[in-house]
């Protein structure tokens, strides 16, 4: 049985009326605490890991996508990204350096998708190429932008030497 015992304080020389010792039975409080702990342990759900859904292609051979609807995003250093439409040798839209703000990469994706839809009438394909100088956070931010801007077709690929040269020219490698 759990008890709380308290004795009155002794002060001064004056004799006073004797107070009885105070006894409080804490058994019910301890029982209630264990019942609450047990209840919350049994009813609480553990946090589930958050993961991004990733769809992989079914076949071994990828289907060809036209250069006129392929946007390439090269991730560089200092939270910068370079994007262009078409190939690195003959870009349809010139390579441009941007950041990860709403007026940066997201705006570029929206504008490029609009341009591709007007010129080809088809959806846009995005190739994401992280450089050695980029950080993992930049890749995650770019994948988040794919989800936010509702880009259905995108891939992560190794960066090509031509892309590295373009990043170095823009001081982003």
């Amino acid at each position: 049985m759990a008890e709380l015992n308290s004795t009155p304080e002794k002060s001064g020389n004056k004799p006073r009326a004797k107070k009885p010792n105070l006894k409080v039975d804490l058994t019910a409080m301890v029982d209630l605490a264990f019942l609450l702990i047990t209840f919350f342990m049994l009813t609480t759900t553990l946090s589930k890991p958050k993961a991004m859904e990733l769809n992989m292609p079914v076949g071994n051979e990828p289907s060809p996508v036209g250069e006129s609807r392929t946007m390439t995003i090269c991730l560089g250093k200092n939270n910068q990204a370079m994007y262009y439409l078409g190939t690195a040798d003959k870009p349809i839209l010139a390579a441009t350096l941007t950041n990860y703000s709403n007026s940066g990469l997201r705006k570029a994706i929206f504008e490029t998708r609009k341009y591709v839809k007007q010129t080809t009438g088809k959806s846009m394909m995005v190739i994401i190429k992280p450089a050695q100088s980029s950080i993992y956070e930049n890749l995650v931010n770019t994948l988040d932008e794919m989800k936010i801007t509702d880009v259905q077709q995108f891939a992560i690929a190794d960066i090509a030497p031509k892309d590295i040269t373009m990043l170095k020219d823009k001081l982003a490698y």
Side-chain angles (χ1 to χ4, degrees), residues 82 84 88 91 95 161-171:
M82 178 187 68
Y84 58 89
K162 178 67 177 172
D163 295 323
I164 292 174
T165 305
M166 292 169 64
L167 279 172
K168 284 181 180 177
D169 291 343
K170 297 192 178 289
L171 303 174

Side-chain angles (χ1 to χ4, degrees), residues 68-140:
S68 61
R69 62 186 199 107
T70 303
M71 178 183 188
T72 304
I73 301 173
C74 300
L75 310 179
K77 66 177 182 178
N78 298 329
N79 295 326
Q80 294 178 326
M82 178 187 68
Y83 67 93
Y84 58 89
L85 184 67
T87 61
D89 296 328
K90 291 188 260 175
I92 297 168
L93 294 177
T96 307
L97 202 60
T98 188
N99 56 18
Y100 292 95
S101 67
N102 291 344
S103 61
L105 187 60
R106 187 175 303 169
K107 183 178 177 186
I109 293 170
F110 279 131
E111 289 175 355
T112 307
R113 181 170 56 190
K114 184 179 175 184
Y115 175 81
V116 168
K117 190 72 170 170
Q118 287 175 347
T119 56
T120 66
K122 296 182 180 180
S123 63
M124 179 176 69
M125 167 73 178
V126 177
I127 300 173
I128 304 166
K129 297 181 178 182
Q132 292 291 330
S133 58
S134 67
I135 58 175
Y136 185 71
E137 180 184 4
N138 293 343
L139 179 62
V140 172

Side-chain angles (χ1 to χ4, degrees), residues 149-167:
T149 57
D150 197 32
V151 174
Q152 298 295 320
Q153 296 176 317
F154 61 91
I156 302 172
D158 293 331
I159 192 162
K162 178 67 177 172
D163 295 323
I164 292 174
T165 305
M166 292 169 64
L167 279 172

Side-chain angles (χ1 to χ4, degrees), residues 28-44:
M29 180 92 70
V30 172
D31 287 345
L32 180 64
F34 281 114
L35 283 173
L36 287 173
I37 290 170
T38 305
F39 172 77
F40 286 117
M41 283 176 53
L42 293 175
T43 58
T44 304

